[in-house]
Amino acid sequence: MVPEAARQDVEAAYRAGQRLDQRGRVDDMPGLLEGLKKMTATAEIAIPRDAELTSASLTLPAVLPAAREARTFTAKALRRWGEGEELIEAAVLIVSELATNAIRHGGRLPAGCRERGRGRDAVITLRLVPETEALHIEVHDGSALLPVQRTAGRDEDCGRGMLIVDALADSWSCGPAAEGGKWVRATVSRTGR
């Protein structure tokens, strides 16, 4: 049974999400991010420890602080699944790069919004799928423009994200998403780490 305070936290986060869906914008971004934190904490309380989860996903507003939420979510999910610290560190860094790219280059609008294109209410979705031998990390955003691995100049402060993903992942790929936008997926071996 979920404690009453935890249930209220989930309801507050849900109401913040409804405001996002109904109006197409976020009136209280700090409140929404705080609600997401509480929702994650509540999910940890509400899901029995022995429940076998086949995947975990999180949808966040496409704002830079959301990359931190994605990293925290990833570390908690992987620890819950009993993964080793080396895999967790690699996965968190990959999520950081993929989420930051998605935030900077193409969050998608929530379902029900009439506007098209990127706006301040755009969202990204992170999905983690552990399989027997590999962990799949996938990020969806609203841009159809696919990422390109490039070499950044020494003095440039960006442009290294996909190089980092390529160095840490066993493989990565991307493609157009059926609902619009794109997905970028990195696969990391669960064995030998």
Side-chain angles (χ1 to χ4, degrees), residues 37-94:
K37 285 182 200 173
K38 290 178 180 178
M39 187 179 283
T40 300
T42 302
E44 289 175 357
I45 293 168
I47 299 171
R49 285 279 174 210
D50 59 351
E52 195 169 321
L53 303 177
T54 58
S55 69
S57 64
L58 179 66
T59 298
L60 294 165
V63 294
L64 286 176
R68 179 175 43 120
E69 296 300 322
R71 290 190 302 269
T72 300
F73 176 82
T74 299
K76 286 181 178 182
L78 294 180
R79 283 191 179 97
R80 180 183 181 107
W81 290 330
E83 300 296 347
E85 285 304 311
E86 189 175 339
L87 176 64
I88 293 170
E89 288 176 17
V92 166
L93 189 50
I94 289 168

Side-chain angles (χ1 to χ4, degrees), residues 30-190:
L32 180 58
L33 289 175
E34 185 61 30
L36 289 170
K37 285 182 200 173
K38 290 178 180 178
M39 187 179 283
T40 300
T42 302
E44 289 175 357
I45 293 168
I47 299 171
R49 285 279 174 210
D50 59 351
E52 195 169 321
L53 303 177
T54 58
S55 69
S57 64
L58 179 66
T59 298
L60 294 165
V63 294
L64 286 176
R68 179 175 43 120
E69 296 300 322
R71 290 190 302 269
T72 300
F73 176 82
T74 299
K76 286 181 178 182
L78 294 180
R79 283 191 179 97
R80 180 183 181 107
W81 290 330
E83 300 296 347
E85 285 304 311
E86 189 175 339
L87 176 64
I88 293 170
E89 288 176 17
V92 166
L93 189 50
I94 289 168
V95 164
S96 182
E97 296 302 330
L98 294 181
T100 300
N101 281 353
I103 291 163
R104 288 186 178 202
H105 303 295
R108 72 177 182 281
L109 290 173
C113 287
R114 291 193 183 109
E115 300 172 41
R116 292 283 177 228
R118 181 173 160 84
R120 70 179 191 154
D121 303 318
V123 296
I124 64 167
T125 301
L126 165 66
R127 186 163 182 244
L128 306 171
V129 182
E131 291 184 352
T132 304
E133 302 209 1
L135 170 68
H136 301 284
I137 301 166
E138 190 171 282
V139 174
H140 290 246
D141 68 47
S143 171
L145 186 62
L146 300 178
V148 177
Q149 186 175 325
R150 68 182 189 92
T151 304
R154 223 168 49 168
D155 295 334
E156 290 182 88
D157 62 353
C158 60
R160 294 174 182 82
M162 295 314 295
L163 284 171
I164 292 169
V165 170
D166 189 61
L168 293 171
D170 294 309
S171 65
W172 70 272
S173 58
C174 57
E179 66 277 7
K182 69 172 169 298
W183 54 265
V184 182
R185 180 182 307 126
T187 301
V188 182
S189 173
R190 293 176 76 193

